[in-house]
Amino acid sequence: MSFIDILALLATGAGYTILVTLMCSATGMAVGLAIAMFHRLGSRQVSACLAVFTYVFRGIPVLVLLFIVFFGLPGMGIGVPPLVSMMLSLGLIAGAYLGEVFRGALDSVDGNEVLAAQAMGMSRMQVLLYIELPQMLRFSVPGMVNEFTTVLKYSPFAYTVGIPEVMKQAMALSAATLRGVEIYLAVGLVYFAIYKVLVTFVWALEKRYRVPGLTEH
Amino acid sequence: MVLLQTRNLGMEYDGKPVLRGIDLDLAEGELKVVMGPSGCGKSTLLRCLNRLVTPTSGQIIFRDEDVTRPDTDVRALRQRIGFVFQNFALYRHLSVLDNVTLGLRKLRGMPLGEAVERAKHELRRMDMVEHHHKYPAQLSGGQKQRVAIARALAMDPAVLFFDEPTSALDPLMSREIINVINQLRRDNVSMLCVTHDLFLARSVGGRVLFLDQGVIHAEGDAEQLFGNHSDPRIRAFFSQEAGNQ
Ligand SMILES: Nc1ncnc2c1ncn2[C@@H]1O[C@H](COP(=O)(O)OP(=O)(O)OP(=O)(O)O)[C@@H](O)[C@H]1O
Ligand SMILES: [Mg+2]
């Protein structure tokens, strides 16, 4: 069995790794955006609740939360499928971090522009939609890339709930062939390839929507 | 005909009075200039008038309608008042053209083609149409301010407010803006202009109100106020501002 064969076998698990990473990142984006928006529009009580959520979910280890959801909740009669368990653990934790990224980016939006938009007659929601969010997303690109990468690196936990992603394939292969060094080196290469594609895609998007003088320093 | 009138307008921030007993009126097509030392309440006055902040007492009558009533549609009011800021406040993520069309499309519901046409018309008026594809960071201060004025004019406002439109500009660019204001005067655009800039106040004519510590102390022609006024506060302000130029 050549190194190429090993890579080819692992590639079958790469699809699941990508699926888990995308779903958890998407969950994180949705949650992070919601957090940032509610912070901006909501009352002080809402902000306090969100701060507690962020505090808790940034503090809890991914694996612990994953086990609570996947192994704990069924005990209370709530069965959660593996992928959904990943989204409710890794995804929510990513959301807590992304919420902070977005909040910081929102603070970089020039208050004078917000004032100008309100003076023009826009509602608070319109100001958020047309002025604050488009700038916030552009400011957030480095933080988002960072968080997506983190999600990718935590995706191997998916094997603990039975998702046949790259790590799971590698462990089976390694047990059968005892060629651990090559196999895990190949695993590293697969992750690196996924990472490269992900980052290239995000930066291509960033370039497509780049505005002169907005994000260059 | 009176466009805008205040009666005994007052404003407090946390119990601290910032504006007191302001009686101001602006006729259709008229330009008035408000001058006064830093922190005297000039910006607050403009923000009260378009209800960005809520006055604590008194009345604002806008085209015969009391817009201080609690049931006033403040967003509709603001759409009828063009606001031009000291620091331009262009939307940095939007091109010059999109800056001008945004309000038309999102607030007026105008179709894109029509909005672009209207925006280009106003940009042409401000001599900025050839820059329509640029972004704010690619413009000079004077150019930014002219885009900001085009953006305000595109909404076809009843009146234009200027809050120190030349303070962030060098003398040459200030001239551009003064020329624009004079041009708008000839077009009978109603304007209320807050400024420190004696040269601006002189060059655009119009009546000048002197505001100090939230109270209007004098009103008259520029020359009348700048000359040897009997009020020592006014003399002090204008001699100091003249020294700054
Ligand atoms: N949001 C606010 N909360 C509390 N006080 C405020 C607020 N905005 C303004 N003030 C106070 O109200 C007073 C008037 O402020 P304003 O900005 O209207 O002055 P200004 O005449 O425009 O000054 P400048 O020439 O520096 O722009 C100042 O003393 C200022 O400290
Ligand atoms: Mg001011």
Side-chain angles (χ1 to χ4, degrees), chain B residues 3-229:
Chain B
L3 168 73
L4 180 65
Q5 187 174 31
T6 71
R7 291 203 205 108
N8 199 24
L9 188 72
M11 175 66 199
E12 294 177 1
Y13 280 120
D14 320 310
K16 187 182 132 239
V18 172
L19 294 174
R20 280 175 292 158
I22 303 282
D23 291 312
L24 176 152
D25 52 283
L26 186 74
E28 301 273 0
E30 191 185 16
L31 162 71
K32 273 193 175 160
V33 177
V34 179
M35 302 192 78
S38 188
C40 71
K42 301 183 296 295
S43 299
T44 305
L45 175 61
L46 292 184
R47 286 173 196 191
C48 277
L49 293 178
N50 83 341
R51 295 291 313 273
L52 272 173
V53 294
T54 306
T56 32
S57 59
Q59 280 178 316
I60 302 167
I61 317 291
F62 187 88
R63 287 201 169 147
D64 296 326
E65 186 193 337
D66 181 350
V67 293
T68 30
R69 289 166 49 128
D71 61 348
T72 304
D73 183 348
V74 291
R75 290 180 45 215
L77 172 71
R78 290 177 200 156
Q79 287 186 33
R80 295 161 70 193
I81 299 177
F83 213 122
V84 177
F85 296 85
Q86 169 178 356
N87 38 42
F88 326 121
L90 293 183
Y91 309 130
R92 286 183 295 165
H93 62 298
L94 297 179
S95 68
V96 164
L97 187 64
D98 290 343
N99 261 277
V100 184
T101 56
L102 184 71
L104 294 172
R105 289 169 53 208
K106 304 303 180 186
L107 297 170
R108 293 280 148 80
M110 202 180 267
L112 180 64
E114 201 180 324
V116 166
E117 202 129 302
R118 169 134 192 76
K120 285 197 169 160
H121 171 76
E122 295 303 340
L123 286 169
R124 204 166 290 124
R125 208 168 150 195
M126 292 298 120
D127 205 13
M128 282 300 294
V129 75
E130 69 272 30
H131 300 288
H132 70 90
H133 56 278
K134 290 190 180 167
Y135 284 87
Q138 299 168 318
L139 303 176
S140 75
Q143 292 176 325
K144 282 183 200 168
Q145 198 58 300
R146 282 185 283 149
V147 173
I149 295 170
R151 178 174 73 181
L153 286 172
M155 298 293 280
D156 196 19
V159 56
L160 270 188
F161 287 179
F162 292 89
D163 192 348
E164 310 206 22
T166 57
S167 294
L169 300 176
D170 64 31
L172 205 68
M173 294 182 190
S174 295
R175 275 229 84 110
E176 290 174 27
I177 301 307
I178 289 167
N179 290 341
V180 165
I181 294 176
N182 274 320
Q183 177 195 332
L184 294 174
R185 257 204 111 175
R186 284 192 294 276
D187 295 344
N188 285 321
V189 177
S190 315
M191 290 179 278
L192 190 57
C193 178
V194 158
T195 186
H196 273 291
D197 186 343
L198 290 192
F199 185 68
L200 166 69
R202 267 214 177 87
S203 314
V204 297
R207 289 185 74 75
V208 178
L209 309 180
F210 181 72
L211 187 71
D212 190 22
Q213 298 186 349
V215 179
I216 293 179
H217 284 282
E219 173 168 356
D221 294 332
E223 300 312 328
Q224 230 172 315
L225 284 180
F226 298 169
N228 226 345
H229 201 272

Side-chain angles (χ1 to χ4, degrees), chain A residues 38 90 116 125 155 158 163 202:
Chain A
F38 278 115
L90 183 53
M125 195 61 194
S155 68
I163 296 177
V202 176

Side-chain angles (χ1 to χ4, degrees), chain A residues 15-43:
Chain A
Y16 283 99
T17 294
I18 292 168
L19 179 71
V20 167
T21 304
L22 286 184
M23 294 307 281
C24 290
S25 294
T27 309
M29 282 292 287
V31 171
L33 280 173
I35 290 177
M37 279 179 65
F38 278 115
H39 255 301
R40 207 64 165 183
L41 300 181
S43 61

Side-chain angles (χ1 to χ4, degrees), chain A residues 49-101:
Chain A
C49 291
L50 292 173
V52 171
F53 170 87
T54 304
Y55 185 75
V56 170
F57 278 76
R58 292 208 318 178
I60 193 166
V62 175
L63 197 57
V64 173
L65 187 57
L66 176 61
F67 281 18
I68 291 174
V69 173
F70 189 74
F71 297 112
L73 290 185
M76 298 167 62
I78 311 169
V80 188
L83 186 59
V84 178
S85 301
M86 285 303 290
M87 289 160 67
L88 289 179
S89 51
L90 183 53
L92 285 183
I93 290 171
Y97 279 97
L98 282 170
E100 293 292 285
V101 169

